Amino acid sequence: MTPVMDAQFSLANLRDIVEPAPPPLWPPAPAVWILGGLLLAGAAILLYQWRRRRRENAYRRAGLALLDQAGSVHEVSVLLKRVALAAFPRSQVASLWGEDWVGFLHRTSPGGDFSPLTRVAPESLPSDALKQSAARWIKRHTRERAIDTGSAC
């Protein structure tokens, strides 16, 4: 080989490999923007549903708070009627009393014992069982079951 070629291929002419700079974190790739937008939209939908459900059930929280203050069977019945008027159409609930009222409570949330509402003196102290049944009704009553009242037109 000639001296010029030897100098060209000499080890003294070797250089280190240059590594490229790491990719920047900003701006993100388009897929990250899309994923972020979807996550933000999903979070907004969940927040909206949570707030709507919380607003719809505010009467339940108020009823449970007032139930602790009820000092007679009559007050428990009045409280249940107030909660029912907030949840059901007035025409379906307002005229109910006595056995019809107790039947309505059983239809809208079976499992509670509401017989003390009609079988004991209205001014007597409510039993723990009645308060528990009332609390269960306030928490779990459903509107769908109350629509069919069993009366034929």
Side-chain angles (χ1 to χ4, degrees):
M1 288 206 165
T2 61
V4 174
M5 287 211 70
D6 285 340
Q8 182 181 5
F9 296 114
S10 165
L11 289 178
N13 290 333
L14 288 180
R15 304 283 185 260
D16 285 337
I17 297 175
V18 178
E19 294 182 24
L25 294 177
W26 197 262
V32 174
W33 283 106
I34 293 170
L35 181 63
L38 290 174
L39 288 174
L40 186 63
I45 290 170
L46 287 175
L47 178 66
Y48 170 76
Q49 289 177 344
W50 175 79
R51 289 188 65 197
R52 183 178 53 104
R53 181 166 292 149
R54 183 158 170 81
R55 197 172 34 248
E56 286 175 357
N57 289 323
Y59 74 96
R60 292 181 196 255
R61 289 189 305 278
L64 288 171
L66 291 173
L67 182 61
D68 293 334
Q69 300 169 6
S72 68
V73 171
H74 177 72
E75 289 178 11
V76 172
S77 182
V78 168
L79 174 65
L80 289 173
K81 181 76 76 136
R82 287 176 61 191
V83 171
L85 286 170
F88 299 97
R90 181 170 287 280
S91 61
Q92 187 178 2
V93 176
S95 63
L96 297 176
W97 62 278
E99 292 298 327
D100 292 336
W101 172 236
V102 171
F104 172 83
L105 293 172
H106 283 292
R107 275 194 313 276
T108 55
S109 181
D113 179 25
F114 298 103
S115 60
L117 294 177
T118 57
R119 295 199 178 119
V120 296
E123 64 276 354
S124 62
L125 290 175
S127 66
D128 288 338
L130 177 60
K131 280 194 167 187
Q132 288 174 357
S133 293
R136 190 178 314 111
W137 185 87
I138 291 170
K139 289 177 189 174
R140 298 184 180 152
H141 66 268
T142 56
R143 296 175 186 172
E144 294 82 23
R145 289 187 191 151
I147 292 174
D148 180 27
T149 59
S151 61
C153 292

